[in-house]
């Protein structure tokens, strides 16, 4: 067995292992289409190499079938590289490219004296085209959760194109117009080594992307309220700490509004708990749509929402909070077989007047919220109003 055949066999075995690994991981809980496509692509590539080796099959037939599988593998792996970006390769154009690559391969093996160069050049041109497109897509549309990994895979894709191009040039200059396969042995062997490096590194890069996506999904799960899709208490407190630190550095004001849905228990008792869930989602949607782009809305539990108003003093926060309250009151909800309106009561805490951390500012806003409840509901109490004592009797919500 020549050195080229030995290294090609090693490449075949490695790709079979990598492809199987990707299929197993891609069919797990993550259900990664990119890994599945990559797995099938490298397995098909290995099968294509395997088909071209055994002498029992007629040369022309095994070259046509093997190179056809290699061409199809290039399309699948390129699709795998771009899959996480949301971009899809055109099925019509990839089919046309595949047919264009196969025509010269079939034609040369139907002739009396087939040219071995065609078997190298046609799949290389198709593979380079597919991988260049994949690299451009990945660089223009990097995966938000995995930008570094995206650049890594794009660089490897360009590296693979460079290796394939050098291989084709080397074979063309070494073999020329002859069919001396021995003269191409060294080029094939070196290409196999480079391809082993590319296959392993790109597989690791795609796995890196999946890990980053999984981490991002876990962070979203940990920081998101499942019912309303708003930031939960943990994420809201963390965001408040960030904004409070920024306000302290730049000597800015920061306000926190605590909203509570009025008579929420009555909604559940009258229309049912599904209507109560719909009411929570409805309020979350209105607040999220009506807030400024720089503000943050979160649900911190039950029927209680908070709005972090950046760069707002007490007067501005009171105006903004009343605007949000009025927007909710003006948006009726159809749920539980009825159409009804919801109102909010709110209390405002301001940094630095009421303190600089969550506990102090939230406590001030919460006391003012109870003052708004006692004052008749569907209103906002700001710092200018008299606060109820922190230990005072709480008003039913």
């Amino acid at each position: 067995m020549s050195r080229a055949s030995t290294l090609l066999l090693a490449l075949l075995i490695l790709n079979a292992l990598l492809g199987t690994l990707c299929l197993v991981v891609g069919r797990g809980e993550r259900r990664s289409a990119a890994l599945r496509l990559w797995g099938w692509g490298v397995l098909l590539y290995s099968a294509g190499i395997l088909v071209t080796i055994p002498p029992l099959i007629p040369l022309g037939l095994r070259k046509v079938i093997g190179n056809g599988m290699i061409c199809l593998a290039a399309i699948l792996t390129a699709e795998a590289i771009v899959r996480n970006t949301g971009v899809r390769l055109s099925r019509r154009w990839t089919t046309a490219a595949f047919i264009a690559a196969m025509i010269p391969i079939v034609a040369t093996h139907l002739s009396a004296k087939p040219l071995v160069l065609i078997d190298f050049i046609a799949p290389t041109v198709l593979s380079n085209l597919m991988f260049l497109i994949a690299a451009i897509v990945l660089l223009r549309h990097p995966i938000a959760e995995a930008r570094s990994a995206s650049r890594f895979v794009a660089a490897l894709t360009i590296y693979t194109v460079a290796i394939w191009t050098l291989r084709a040039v080397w074979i063309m200059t070494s073999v020329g117009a002859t069919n001396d396969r021995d003269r191409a042995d060294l080029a094939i062997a070196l290409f196999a080594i480079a391809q082993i490096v590319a296959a392993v590194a790109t597989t690791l890069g795609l796995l890196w992307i999946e890990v980053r996506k999984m981490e991002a999904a876990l962070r979203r799960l940990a920081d998101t309220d499942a019912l309303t899709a708003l930031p939960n208490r943990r994420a809201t407190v963390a965001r408040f700490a960030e904004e409070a630190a920024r306000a302290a550095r730049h000597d800015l004001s920061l306000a926190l509004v605590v909203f509570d849905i009025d008579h929420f228990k009555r909604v559940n008792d009258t229309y049912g708990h599904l209507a109560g869930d719909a009411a929570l989602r409805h309020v979350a949607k209105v607040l999220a749509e009506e807030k400024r782009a720089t503000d943050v809305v979160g649900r911190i539990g039950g029927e209680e929402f908070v709005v972090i108003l950046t760069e707002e003093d007490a007067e501005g926060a009171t105006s903004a909070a009343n605007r949000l309250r009025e927007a909710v009151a003006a948006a009726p909800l159809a749920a539980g077989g009825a159409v009804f309106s919801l109102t909010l009561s709110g209390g405002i805490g301001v940094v630095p007047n009421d303190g600089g951390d969550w506990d102090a500012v939230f406590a001030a806003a919460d006391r003012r919220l109870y003052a708004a409840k006692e004052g008749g509901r569907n209103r906002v109490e700001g710092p200018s109003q008299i606060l109820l004592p922190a230990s005072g009797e709480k008003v039913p919500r």
Side-chain angles (χ1 to χ4, degrees):
M1 182 178 290
S2 67
R3 58 190 172 189
S5 297
T6 301
L7 286 170
L8 283 175
L9 182 60
L11 178 60
L12 183 154
I13 295 172
L14 177 66
N15 277 352
L17 293 173
L18 293 176
T20 302
L21 173 64
C22 289
L23 287 178
V24 170
V25 176
R27 291 182 179 276
E29 292 183 1
R30 289 290 300 167
R31 305 295 297 174
S32 170
L35 285 181
R36 292 198 302 274
L37 282 168
W38 183 261
W40 284 119
V42 295
L43 284 175
L44 194 60
Y45 181 81
S46 299
I49 294 175
L50 182 62
V51 167
T52 63
I53 294 175
L56 299 177
I57 304 175
L59 176 64
L61 181 60
R62 71 174 187 256
K63 290 296 184 179
V64 170
I65 295 175
N67 282 317
M69 297 171 75
I70 290 171
C71 290
L72 183 57
I75 295 172
L76 290 177
T77 49
E79 178 67 37
I81 291 169
V82 305
R83 177 56 63 100
N84 284 316
T85 67
V87 177
R88 298 292 180 268
L89 299 180
S90 169
R91 185 65 56 85
R92 180 175 62 182
W93 288 109
T94 54
T95 301
F98 176 79
I99 294 172
M102 291 304 298
I103 288 174
I105 295 173
V106 173
T108 192
H109 287 289
L110 289 177
S111 67
K113 190 177 181 181
L115 292 175
V116 68
L117 283 177
I118 299 297
D119 292 325
F120 292 118
I121 301 304
T124 299
V125 171
L126 174 64
S127 299
N128 281 355
L129 176 63
M130 292 295 104
F131 271 47
L132 280 175
I133 292 173
I136 292 170
V137 169
L138 202 54
L139 290 172
R140 293 185 61 184
H141 306 280
I143 300 153
E145 304 93 335
R147 293 186 179 274
S148 295
S150 298
R151 289 191 289 268
F152 177 72
V153 173
L156 287 170
T157 304
I158 295 171
Y159 159 80
T160 303
V161 170
I163 291 299
W164 282 336
T165 302
L166 287 174
R167 167 185 178 258
V169 171
W170 192 343
I171 290 175
M172 289 176 66
T173 56
S174 298
V175 180
T178 73
N179 287 322
D180 186 358
R181 288 177 172 78
D182 291 336
R183 296 177 62 184
D185 183 78
L186 178 60
I188 297 172
L190 291 176
F191 166 74
I193 295 173
Q195 184 67 5
I196 287 172
V197 173
V200 172
T202 307
T203 301
L204 292 176
L206 291 174
L207 290 171
W208 183 9
I209 289 174
E210 292 300 324
V211 169
R212 287 290 180 264
K213 288 175 59 184
M214 182 175 64
E215 289 175 346
L218 290 174
R219 283 195 298 270
R220 286 193 295 270
L221 184 62
D223 293 343
T224 304
D225 174 61
L227 181 63
T228 63
L230 292 177
N232 59 17
R233 185 183 186 93
R234 174 182 176 277
T236 303
V237 172
R239 181 61 184 274
F240 178 85
E242 293 174 3
E243 293 297 336
R246 188 175 72 88
R249 286 196 305 271
H250 300 287
D251 195 24
L252 301 172
S253 295
L254 177 68
L256 178 72
V257 186
V258 181
F259 281 121
D260 189 274
I261 301 177
D262 295 326
H263 302 297
F264 183 69
K265 185 177 183 301
R266 187 182 301 171
V267 173
N268 282 327
D269 293 344
T270 304
Y271 305 109
H273 285 84
L274 290 179
D277 289 347
L280 292 170
R281 288 192 293 268
H282 175 71
V283 170
K285 180 174 181 292
V286 174
L287 292 177
E289 289 176 347
E290 295 296 328
K291 74 175 181 64
R292 298 178 306 175
T294 56
D295 297 335
V296 179
V297 177
R299 180 189 175 207
I300 59 174
E303 65 271 26
E304 206 164 48
F305 297 83
V306 299
V307 182
I308 301 172
L309 299 171
T310 60
E311 300 182 26
E312 284 286 15
D313 57 16
E315 182 179 356
T318 301
S319 175
N322 274 310
R323 179 177 59 80
L324 293 172
R325 175 187 59 78
E326 291 167 0
V328 171
L333 168 67
V339 178
F340 54 92
S341 295
L342 299 165
T343 61
L344 302 179
S345 296
I348 299 172
V350 178
V351 177
N353 305 53
D354 294 312
D357 61 10
W358 169 268
D359 290 341
V361 178
F362 178 80
D366 198 45
R367 292 196 300 272
R368 292 177 180 123
L369 167 62
Y370 280 108
K373 292 283 188 179
E374 187 178 67
R377 295 183 172 84
N378 191 23
R379 57 183 294 172
V380 172
E381 295 285 337
S384 60
Q385 283 79 19
I386 299 174
L387 300 183
L388 289 179
S391 59
E393 182 180 354
K394 292 188 175 182
V395 177
R397 298 192 177 193

PDB file of all heavy atoms in Angstrom, residues 75-98:
ATOM      1  N   ILE A  75     -21.312  19.582  -0.397  1.00  0.00           N
ATOM      2  CA  ILE A  75     -22.544  20.367  -0.262  1.00  0.00           C
ATOM      3  C   ILE A  75     -23.117  20.214   1.146  1.00  0.00           C
ATOM      4  O   ILE A  75     -23.522  21.197   1.783  1.00  0.00           O
ATOM      5  CB  ILE A  75     -23.565  19.934  -1.324  1.00  0.00           C
ATOM      6  CG1 ILE A  75     -23.032  20.283  -2.724  1.00  0.00           C
ATOM      7  CG2 ILE A  75     -24.918  20.593  -1.080  1.00  0.00           C
ATOM      8  CD1 ILE A  75     -23.881  19.733  -3.857  1.00  0.00           C
ATOM      9  N   LEU A  76     -23.144  18.996   1.659  1.00  0.00           N
ATOM     10  CA  LEU A  76     -23.690  18.757   2.994  1.00  0.00           C
ATOM     11  C   LEU A  76     -22.868  19.459   4.071  1.00  0.00           C
ATOM     12  O   LEU A  76     -23.420  20.071   5.001  1.00  0.00           O
ATOM     13  CB  LEU A  76     -23.751  17.254   3.283  1.00  0.00           C
ATOM     14  CG  LEU A  76     -24.775  16.443   2.505  1.00  0.00           C
ATOM     15  CD1 LEU A  76     -24.660  14.960   2.861  1.00  0.00           C
ATOM     16  CD2 LEU A  76     -26.187  16.938   2.780  1.00  0.00           C
ATOM     17  N   THR A  77     -21.545  19.379   3.981  1.00  0.00           N
ATOM     18  CA  THR A  77     -20.712  20.005   5.005  1.00  0.00           C
ATOM     19  C   THR A  77     -20.782  21.529   4.926  1.00  0.00           C
ATOM     20  O   THR A  77     -20.741  22.208   5.962  1.00  0.00           O
ATOM     21  CB  THR A  77     -19.258  19.523   4.887  1.00  0.00           C
ATOM     22  OG1 THR A  77     -18.821  19.638   3.524  1.00  0.00           O
ATOM     23  CG2 THR A  77     -19.120  18.074   5.326  1.00  0.00           C
ATOM     24  N   ALA A  78     -20.885  22.085   3.723  1.00  0.00           N
ATOM     25  CA  ALA A  78     -21.052  23.531   3.606  1.00  0.00           C
ATOM     26  C   ALA A  78     -22.380  23.971   4.211  1.00  0.00           C
ATOM     27  O   ALA A  78     -22.458  24.999   4.901  1.00  0.00           O
ATOM     28  CB  ALA A  78     -20.975  23.952   2.130  1.00  0.00           C
ATOM     29  N   GLU A  79     -23.423  23.189   3.975  1.00  0.00           N
ATOM     30  CA  GLU A  79     -24.721  23.481   4.589  1.00  0.00           C
ATOM     31  C   GLU A  79     -24.633  23.400   6.101  1.00  0.00           C
ATOM     32  O   GLU A  79     -25.254  24.204   6.822  1.00  0.00           O
ATOM     33  CB  GLU A  79     -25.774  22.503   4.063  1.00  0.00           C
ATOM     34  CG  GLU A  79     -27.161  22.682   4.665  1.00  0.00           C
ATOM     35  CD  GLU A  79     -27.815  23.996   4.271  1.00  0.00           C
ATOM     36  OE1 GLU A  79     -27.637  24.429   3.126  1.00  0.00           O
ATOM     37  OE2 GLU A  79     -28.495  24.585   5.142  1.00  0.00           O
ATOM     38  N   ALA A  80     -23.856  22.456   6.616  1.00  0.00           N
ATOM     39  CA  ALA A  80     -23.677  22.330   8.069  1.00  0.00           C
ATOM     40  C   ALA A  80     -23.014  23.572   8.645  1.00  0.00           C
ATOM     41  O   ALA A  80     -23.395  24.054   9.725  1.00  0.00           O
ATOM     42  CB  ALA A  80     -22.843  21.091   8.380  1.00  0.00           C
ATOM     43  N   ILE A  81     -22.030  24.107   7.945  1.00  0.00           N
ATOM     44  CA  ILE A  81     -21.299  25.271   8.444  1.00  0.00           C
ATOM     45  C   ILE A  81     -22.207  26.488   8.563  1.00  0.00           C
ATOM     46  O   ILE A  81     -22.093  27.271   9.514  1.00  0.00           O
ATOM     47  CB  ILE A  81     -20.088  25.560   7.529  1.00  0.00           C
ATOM     48  CG1 ILE A  81     -19.049  24.438   7.678  1.00  0.00           C
ATOM     49  CG2 ILE A  81     -19.471  26.914   7.840  1.00  0.00           C
ATOM     50  CD1 ILE A  81     -17.946  24.486   6.648  1.00  0.00           C
ATOM     51  N   VAL A  82     -23.128  26.674   7.619  1.00  0.00           N
ATOM     52  CA  VAL A  82     -23.983  27.870   7.633  1.00  0.00           C
ATOM     53  C   VAL A  82     -25.289  27.661   8.382  1.00  0.00           C
ATOM     54  O   VAL A  82     -26.016  28.625   8.619  1.00  0.00           O
ATOM     55  CB  VAL A  82     -24.290  28.348   6.197  1.00  0.00           C
ATOM     56  CG1 VAL A  82     -23.010  28.572   5.423  1.00  0.00           C
ATOM     57  CG2 VAL A  82     -25.191  27.352   5.460  1.00  0.00           C
ATOM     58  N   ARG A  83     -25.608  26.421   8.770  1.00  0.00           N
ATOM     59  CA  ARG A  83     -26.937  26.141   9.306  1.00  0.00           C
ATOM     60  C   ARG A  83     -27.272  26.985  10.538  1.00  0.00           C
ATOM     61  O   ARG A  83     -28.385  27.483  10.682  1.00  0.00           O
ATOM     62  CB  ARG A  83     -27.043  24.647   9.626  1.00  0.00           C
ATOM     63  CG  ARG A  83     -28.366  24.223  10.275  1.00  0.00           C
ATOM     64  CD  ARG A  83     -29.564  24.631   9.425  1.00  0.00           C
ATOM     65  NE  ARG A  83     -29.605  24.000   8.134  1.00  0.00           N
ATOM     66  CZ  ARG A  83     -30.356  22.952   7.844  1.00  0.00           C
ATOM     67  NH1 ARG A  83     -31.131  22.418   8.778  1.00  0.00           N
ATOM     68  NH2 ARG A  83     -30.342  22.447   6.622  1.00  0.00           N
ATOM     69  N   ASN A  84     -26.320  27.167  11.438  1.00  0.00           N
ATOM     70  CA  ASN A  84     -26.606  27.912  12.666  1.00  0.00           C
ATOM     71  C   ASN A  84     -26.789  29.404  12.444  1.00  0.00           C
ATOM     72  O   ASN A  84     -27.244  30.112  13.341  1.00  0.00           O
ATOM     73  CB  ASN A  84     -25.486  27.683  13.688  1.00  0.00           C
ATOM     74  CG  ASN A  84     -25.571  26.317  14.337  1.00  0.00           C
ATOM     75  OD1 ASN A  84     -26.642  25.867  14.723  1.00  0.00           O
ATOM     76  ND2 ASN A  84     -24.439  25.633  14.466  1.00  0.00           N
ATOM     77  N   THR A  85     -26.425  29.901  11.260  1.00  0.00           N
ATOM     78  CA  THR A  85     -26.611  31.319  10.962  1.00  0.00           C
ATOM     79  C   THR A  85     -28.039  31.635  10.553  1.00  0.00           C
ATOM     80  O   THR A  85     -28.424  32.801  10.486  1.00  0.00           O
ATOM     81  CB  THR A  85     -25.667  31.764   9.828  1.00  0.00           C
ATOM     82  OG1 THR A  85     -26.063  31.113   8.607  1.00  0.00           O
ATOM     83  CG2 THR A  85     -24.225  31.418  10.150  1.00  0.00           C
ATOM     84  N   GLY A  86     -28.815  30.621  10.232  1.00  0.00           N
ATOM     85  CA  GLY A  86     -30.165  30.835   9.721  1.00  0.00           C
ATOM     86  C   GLY A  86     -30.220  30.950   8.219  1.00  0.00           C
ATOM     87  O   GLY A  86     -31.305  30.962   7.626  1.00  0.00           O
ATOM     88  N   VAL A  87     -29.064  31.026   7.564  1.00  0.00           N
ATOM     89  CA  VAL A  87     -29.001  31.096   6.095  1.00  0.00           C
ATOM     90  C   VAL A  87     -29.071  29.682   5.532  1.00  0.00           C
ATOM     91  O   VAL A  87     -28.493  28.753   6.088  1.00  0.00           O
ATOM     92  CB  VAL A  87     -27.705  31.790   5.628  1.00  0.00           C
ATOM     93  CG1 VAL A  87     -27.599  31.789   4.109  1.00  0.00           C
ATOM     94  CG2 VAL A  87     -27.650  33.208   6.168  1.00  0.00           C
ATOM     95  N   ARG A  88     -29.786  29.516   4.442  1.00  0.00           N
ATOM     96  CA  ARG A  88     -29.881  28.222   3.780  1.00  0.00           C
ATOM     97  C   ARG A  88     -29.321  28.326   2.358  1.00  0.00           C
ATOM     98  O   ARG A  88     -29.633  29.272   1.629  1.00  0.00           O
ATOM     99  CB  ARG A  88     -31.343  27.748   3.717  1.00  0.00           C
ATOM    100  CG  ARG A  88     -31.989  27.530   5.078  1.00  0.00           C
ATOM    101  CD  ARG A  88     -31.365  26.354   5.815  1.00  0.00           C
ATOM    102  NE  ARG A  88     -31.993  26.167   7.106  1.00  0.00           N
ATOM    103  CZ  ARG A  88     -31.563  26.722   8.236  1.00  0.00           C
ATOM    104  NH1 ARG A  88     -30.499  27.523   8.205  1.00  0.00           N
ATOM    105  NH2 ARG A  88     -32.169  26.495   9.374  1.00  0.00           N
ATOM    106  N   LEU A  89     -28.494  27.362   2.002  1.00  0.00           N
ATOM    107  CA  LEU A  89     -27.989  27.325   0.629  1.00  0.00           C
ATOM    108  C   LEU A  89     -29.125  26.952  -0.313  1.00  0.00           C
ATOM    109  O   LEU A  89     -29.932  26.067  -0.003  1.00  0.00           O
ATOM    110  CB  LEU A  89     -26.852  26.306   0.512  1.00  0.00           C
ATOM    111  CG  LEU A  89     -25.614  26.562   1.385  1.00  0.00           C
ATOM    112  CD1 LEU A  89     -24.578  25.468   1.161  1.00  0.00           C
ATOM    113  CD2 LEU A  89     -25.011  27.933   1.098  1.00  0.00           C
ATOM    114  N   SER A  90     -29.174  27.622  -1.446  1.00  0.00           N
ATOM    115  CA  SER A  90     -30.239  27.372  -2.419  1.00  0.00           C
ATOM    116  C   SER A  90     -30.146  25.943  -2.954  1.00  0.00           C
ATOM    117  O   SER A  90     -29.107  25.540  -3.488  1.00  0.00           O
ATOM    118  CB  SER A  90     -30.136  28.376  -3.571  1.00  0.00           C
ATOM    119  OG  SER A  90     -30.975  27.997  -4.639  1.00  0.00           O
ATOM    120  N   ARG A  91     -31.213  25.182  -2.794  1.00  0.00           N
ATOM    121  CA  ARG A  91     -31.228  23.816  -3.296  1.00  0.00           C
ATOM    122  C   ARG A  91     -31.074  23.777  -4.825  1.00  0.00           C
ATOM    123  O   ARG A  91     -30.406  22.889  -5.367  1.00  0.00           O
ATOM    124  CB  ARG A  91     -32.543  23.139  -2.877  1.00  0.00           C
ATOM    125  CG  ARG A  91     -32.627  21.659  -3.233  1.00  0.00           C
ATOM    126  CD  ARG A  91     -31.596  20.860  -2.456  1.00  0.00           C
ATOM    127  NE  ARG A  91     -31.718  21.046  -1.039  1.00  0.00           N
ATOM    128  CZ  ARG A  91     -32.552  20.365  -0.256  1.00  0.00           C
ATOM    129  NH1 ARG A  91     -33.345  19.458  -0.782  1.00  0.00           N
ATOM    130  NH2 ARG A  91     -32.578  20.577   1.043  1.00  0.00           N
ATOM    131  N   ARG A  92     -31.645  24.752  -5.482  1.00  0.00           N
ATOM    132  CA  ARG A  92     -31.558  24.790  -6.944  1.00  0.00           C
ATOM    133  C   ARG A  92     -30.117  25.005  -7.401  1.00  0.00           C
ATOM    134  O   ARG A  92     -29.620  24.314  -8.301  1.00  0.00           O
ATOM    135  CB  ARG A  92     -32.445  25.915  -7.488  1.00  0.00           C
ATOM    136  CG  ARG A  92     -32.418  26.037  -9.009  1.00  0.00           C
ATOM    137  CD  ARG A  92     -33.412  27.079  -9.479  1.00  0.00           C
ATOM    138  NE  ARG A  92     -33.097  28.398  -8.954  1.00  0.00           N
ATOM    139  CZ  ARG A  92     -33.836  29.477  -9.175  1.00  0.00           C
ATOM    140  NH1 ARG A  92     -34.952  29.365  -9.889  1.00  0.00           N
ATOM    141  NH2 ARG A  92     -33.498  30.640  -8.679  1.00  0.00           N
ATOM    142  N   TRP A  93     -29.410  25.941  -6.746  1.00  0.00           N
ATOM    143  CA  TRP A  93     -28.040  26.241  -7.150  1.00  0.00           C
ATOM    144  C   TRP A  93     -27.071  25.143  -6.741  1.00  0.00           C
ATOM    145  O   TRP A  93     -26.129  24.842  -7.485  1.00  0.00           O
ATOM    146  CB  TRP A  93     -27.611  27.589  -6.572  1.00  0.00           C
ATOM    147  CG  TRP A  93     -28.285  28.744  -7.238  1.00  0.00           C
ATOM    148  CD1 TRP A  93     -29.241  29.557  -6.714  1.00  0.00           C
ATOM    149  CD2 TRP A  93     -28.075  29.205  -8.574  1.00  0.00           C
ATOM    150  NE1 TRP A  93     -29.642  30.495  -7.625  1.00  0.00           N
ATOM    151  CE2 TRP A  93     -28.937  30.303  -8.789  1.00  0.00           C
ATOM    152  CE3 TRP A  93     -27.240  28.798  -9.612  1.00  0.00           C
ATOM    153  CZ2 TRP A  93     -28.987  30.998  -9.986  1.00  0.00           C
ATOM    154  CZ3 TRP A  93     -27.283  29.487 -10.816  1.00  0.00           C
ATOM    155  CH2 TRP A  93     -28.147  30.581 -10.997  1.00  0.00           C
ATOM    156  N   THR A  94     -27.272  24.539  -5.589  1.00  0.00           N
ATOM    157  CA  THR A  94     -26.381  23.441  -5.191  1.00  0.00           C
ATOM    158  C   THR A  94     -26.567  22.233  -6.104  1.00  0.00           C
ATOM    159  O   THR A  94     -25.601  21.535  -6.436  1.00  0.00           O
ATOM    160  CB  THR A  94     -26.623  23.037  -3.729  1.00  0.00           C
ATOM    161  OG1 THR A  94     -28.011  22.735  -3.527  1.00  0.00           O
ATOM    162  CG2 THR A  94     -26.208  24.141  -2.780  1.00  0.00           C
ATOM    163  N   THR A  95     -27.813  21.990  -6.530  1.00  0.00           N
ATOM    164  CA  THR A  95     -28.059  20.894  -7.478  1.00  0.00           C
ATOM    165  C   THR A  95     -27.389  21.170  -8.819  1.00  0.00           C
ATOM    166  O   THR A  95     -26.772  20.284  -9.423  1.00  0.00           O
ATOM    167  CB  THR A  95     -29.572  20.692  -7.674  1.00  0.00           C
ATOM    168  OG1 THR A  95     -30.186  20.404  -6.415  1.00  0.00           O
ATOM    169  CG2 THR A  95     -29.846  19.552  -8.644  1.00  0.00           C
ATOM    170  N   ALA A  96     -27.501  22.427  -9.269  1.00  0.00           N
ATOM    171  CA  ALA A  96     -26.867  22.803 -10.541  1.00  0.00           C
ATOM    172  C   ALA A  96     -25.349  22.670 -10.443  1.00  0.00           C
ATOM    173  O   ALA A  96     -24.692  22.198 -11.391  1.00  0.00           O
ATOM    174  CB  ALA A  96     -27.254  24.234 -10.908  1.00  0.00           C
ATOM    175  N   ALA A  97     -24.781  23.063  -9.296  1.00  0.00           N
ATOM    176  CA  ALA A  97     -23.331  22.954  -9.109  1.00  0.00           C
ATOM    177  C   ALA A  97     -22.895  21.492  -9.094  1.00  0.00           C
ATOM    178  O   ALA A  97     -21.846  21.137  -9.661  1.00  0.00           O
ATOM    179  CB  ALA A  97     -22.912  23.646  -7.822  1.00  0.00           C
ATOM    180  N   PHE A  98     -23.696  20.641  -8.451  1.00  0.00           N
ATOM    181  CA  PHE A  98     -23.375  19.212  -8.402  1.00  0.00           C
ATOM    182  C   PHE A  98     -23.387  18.606  -9.811  1.00  0.00           C
ATOM    183  O   PHE A  98     -22.473  17.866 -10.186  1.00  0.00           O
ATOM    184  CB  PHE A  98     -24.390  18.498  -7.507  1.00  0.00           C
ATOM    185  CG  PHE A  98     -24.213  17.014  -7.456  1.00  0.00           C
ATOM    186  CD1 PHE A  98     -23.238  16.429  -6.667  1.00  0.00           C
ATOM    187  CD2 PHE A  98     -25.039  16.181  -8.212  1.00  0.00           C
ATOM    188  CE1 PHE A  98     -23.070  15.054  -6.628  1.00  0.00           C
ATOM    189  CE2 PHE A  98     -24.884  14.811  -8.183  1.00  0.00           C
ATOM    190  CZ  PHE A  98     -23.896  14.245  -7.389  1.00  0.00           C
TER     191      PHE A  98
END
